[in-house]
Amino acid sequence: MANQLWVKKPIEKLLLESTGEENQLKRSLGSASLVALGIGAIIGAGLFSLTGIAAAEHSGPAVTISFILAAVGCGFAGLCYAEFASMIPIAGSAYTYSYATMGEFVAWIIGWDLVLEYALGAATVSVSWSRYLLEFLSKFDIHLPTQLVCSPFEVVKLSNGTIIDNGIVNLPAIFIVCMLSLLLIRGTEGSAFLNNFLVVLKVAVVMIFIALGWSHIDPQNYVPYIPENTGNYENFGWSGIATGAAVVFFAFIGFDAVSTAAQEAKNPQKGMPIGILGSLVVCTILYVLFAHVMTGLVKYTEFANDAKPAATAFAKTGYDSLQTALIIAILAGYTSVMLVMLLGQSRVFYSMSKDGLLPKFFSQVHPKFSTPWKTNLFFMGFVSIFAGLVPVSDLGHMVSIGTLFAFCLVCVGVWMLRVKRPELHRSFRTPLVPFVPIMGIVVCLYLMYSLPIESWYRLAIWLAIGLAIYFGYGKKNSKLGKENNLEL
């Protein structure tokens, strides 16, 4: 029975599931929609909140270099994702790839781990969305009941000085999670249309920020461009830039979510590499320009403990009338991030259920909309609990460590499959194997090492819960495991 832990799902079986009658999901996403899906997942909380913190505490104006370093790490993993997604165009992302290359046990671990990236990531972003909504409403002197806008375990301070510390539940965060979950139930085609609109809106405002802010840059704010290290590894200097890369890595989370929609892509062999790498390239360029303008408008030291650095910097331009538009763009950015994260989470559990590792509940498809609607409803409730009641300030690290772990396994999988199954057709081939996978593993492990030790403790506890579920249910009900036992 121990062999079942390492039983692999045949590539041929995966390809069969992605075609013909075996594929119950509707193929409605073209290459442009896939690129927009990636951009929608990437540009959001990271750009609008973490850039200032990374500059103030770690990198200074050289936060632009931190973004480039983080993008390089994501690029190595992205090249590996692109090969897998074009070769195995099926829902499930890193879970599916691990099942085909490293066996059921590793696949379960990574599938369970992806909950940290997608579900808790959506919860984290929903709370930030709620806070920006309060800022937006306060400009029109609209104030919601304080008990209903934050959890009882946190204090919210608005830019006008208002302090909210008597909360009971964060209803705005729950509201946006529920609305997006219901939208996803109606189908990815309609969801993709909304996402495309939101992506165009927020990219336009990011470009306006760059264009209008460029002429107001004060070159003195870049001096020194790389502040001297304070004596602590993480505070400035080249080591601070590396730590800053680990911090802003959260800003790149999401490009891998494109791979979870492989089973709904019109031409996955072509569209997956374009969607994954295209969205990563576009976002990296925008991030570097955005960070350059932001640190040029305001001295990096002024971003310390500033949760709204983009708004702080834009205020220096004198375009006060556009402040509201900036907040609207941020709300749009957060909305599209949550949309893609909730989509990705439901598709991972859909695949795990189809394999028998989770109850059939998670793979039941709506007869009209052709979506895993019960999974969407389940995570609507699960994510809402975290969004409404749990302070999520520390969950960003959990999201990062879970994602980095997934990236490592994808890099290992591509390398292993090149050695064991070199004859398989690959529409896109990761260049310079094994160099690219090895570098992806090294960079991701280094960034994991740079995260606080508490993140490792939480990851261990989460994985322990997942292992209990696997040995209590998944291992006994695995379809592949049952087939393997019959053959024996």
Side-chain angles (χ1 to χ4, degrees):
M1 293 295 290
N3 290 336
Q4 183 185 330
L5 296 179
W6 313 111
V7 64
K8 299 178 180 65
K9 194 168 186 178
I11 301 292
E12 293 75 15
K13 186 178 180 66
L14 287 170
L15 294 176
L16 180 64
E17 291 179 4
S18 70
T19 59
E21 295 180 358
E22 290 287 325
N23 182 21
Q24 295 177 291
L25 301 178
K26 184 178 180 181
R27 292 196 179 278
S28 58
L29 304 176
S31 297
S33 291
L34 290 169
V35 172
L37 200 66
I39 296 174
I42 299 172
I43 298 181
L47 179 63
F48 297 125
S49 62
L50 294 180
T51 307
I53 294 172
E57 299 179 4
H58 306 294
S59 311
V63 67
T64 50
I65 302 177
S66 293
F67 271 120
I68 294 172
L69 285 177
V72 168
C74 288
F76 288 130
L79 288 168
C80 295
Y81 262 100
E83 176 169 322
F84 264 139
S86 64
M87 185 171 61
I88 311 174
I90 189 168
S93 185
Y95 159 75
T96 301
Y97 309 151
S98 298
Y99 212 158
T101 56
M102 287 172 279
E104 183 174 286
F105 183 65
V106 175
W108 169 269
I109 290 176
I110 199 62
W112 184 250
D113 173 73
L114 285 174
V115 178
L116 295 178
E117 176 179 358
Y118 295 132
L120 296 191
T124 304
V125 177
S126 71
V127 174
S128 295
W129 184 93
S130 174
R131 292 180 180 176
Y132 271 100
L133 178 66
L134 297 181
E135 287 285 345
F136 176 75
L137 295 177
S138 68
K139 290 183 175 296
F140 300 94
D141 202 29
I142 300 174
H143 304 282
L144 302 177
T146 56
Q147 295 89 344
L148 304 179
V149 296
C150 70
S151 85
F153 309 106
E154 62 183 347
V155 177
V156 176
K157 183 177 181 180
L158 302 181
S159 58
N160 61 8
T162 302
I163 296 178
I164 303 172
D165 61 357
N166 60 339
I168 297 176
V169 65
N170 192 335
L171 277 187
I174 293 176
F175 170 80
I176 189 62
V177 168
C178 291
M179 290 298 99
L180 294 177
S181 297
L182 294 175
L183 176 65
L184 285 171
I185 290 174
R186 291 190 58 84
T188 53
E189 190 169 10
S191 305
F193 175 80
L194 173 62
N195 181 70
N196 290 347
F197 171 76
L198 295 175
V199 168
V200 170
L201 176 62
K202 66 181 178 181
V203 169
V205 175
V206 168
M207 294 179 70
I208 290 172
F209 176 91
I210 295 171
L212 295 181
W214 199 279
S215 60
H216 293 79
I217 289 176
D218 182 357
Q220 287 301 312
N221 289 330
Y222 294 131
V223 181
Y225 194 72
I226 303 178
E228 186 177 351
N229 186 267
T230 62
N232 294 326
Y233 176 85
E234 62 185 34
N235 298 128
F236 309 116
W238 286 105
S239 60
I241 291 174
T243 302
V247 172
V248 300
F249 173 81
F250 185 90
F252 285 97
I253 289 176
F255 80 87
D256 58 310
V258 175
S259 64
T260 66
Q263 212 163 332
E264 292 150 280
K266 293 178 180 177
N267 184 356
Q269 286 75 18
K270 175 184 177 183
M272 284 292 104
I274 292 175
I276 293 171
L277 300 177
S279 58
L280 188 58
V281 169
V282 170
C283 290
T284 300
I285 293 172
L286 289 176
Y287 278 13
V288 171
L289 292 175
F290 189 93
H292 179 74
V293 171
M294 198 179 78
T295 52
L297 291 172
V298 177
K299 191 70 174 179
Y300 69 92
T301 53
E302 295 184 31
F303 292 126
N305 301 315
D306 188 352
K308 299 178 289 297
T312 300
F314 197 71
K316 297 291 185 178
T317 65
Y319 297 104
D320 296 333
S321 60
L322 292 179
Q323 280 285 73
T324 301
L326 179 67
I327 294 177
I328 292 174
I330 292 173
L331 287 171
Y334 286 175
T335 300
S336 59
V337 169
M338 286 182 283
L339 187 70
V340 177
M341 286 182 169
L342 291 170
L343 169 69
Q345 180 61 74
S346 65
R347 273 39 178 187
V348 171
F349 264 43
Y350 169 84
S351 293
M352 295 176 76
S353 176
K354 291 281 285 185
D355 292 330
L357 301 181
L358 289 172
K360 293 181 179 178
F361 170 91
F362 292 103
S363 58
Q364 292 181 356
V365 175
H366 195 283
K368 179 180 179 181
F369 302 125
S370 298
T371 56
W373 66 289
K374 290 186 177 180
T375 303
N376 290 125
L377 289 177
F378 174 83
F379 278 104
M380 182 175 75
F382 179 82
V383 174
S384 291
I385 292 173
F386 284 90
L389 299 175
V390 180
V392 290
S393 57
D394 294 328
L395 289 180
H397 293 313
M398 290 184 67
V399 175
S400 291
I401 199 168
T403 307
L404 287 163
F405 188 33
F407 286 4
C408 285
L409 289 181
V410 169
C411 292
V412 171
V414 163
W415 187 7
M416 288 180 61
L417 210 57
R418 283 289 189 93
V419 174
K420 295 185 176 182
R421 297 294 301 274
E423 80 285 358
L424 289 173
H425 174 69
R426 294 165 170 84
S427 300
F428 176 87
R429 296 178 65 88
T430 302
L432 302 176
V433 175
F435 174 77
V436 168
I438 290 174
M439 288 304 298
I441 295 167
V442 169
V443 174
C444 291
L445 286 177
Y446 173 70
L447 293 178
M448 290 174 72
Y449 168 78
S450 301
L451 291 168
I453 189 65
E454 292 81 9
S455 301
W456 288 88
Y457 295 149
R458 292 166 186 155
L459 178 64
I461 293 171
W462 180 253
L463 291 179
I465 295 172
L467 291 178
I469 296 174
Y470 173 71
F471 286 106
Y473 180 90
K475 187 171 182 289
K476 298 176 183 177
N477 294 276
S478 166
K479 292 181 180 179
L480 200 59
K482 290 178 180 178
E483 292 174 6
N484 193 50
N485 290 334
L486 286 175
E487 292 173 0
L488 294 175

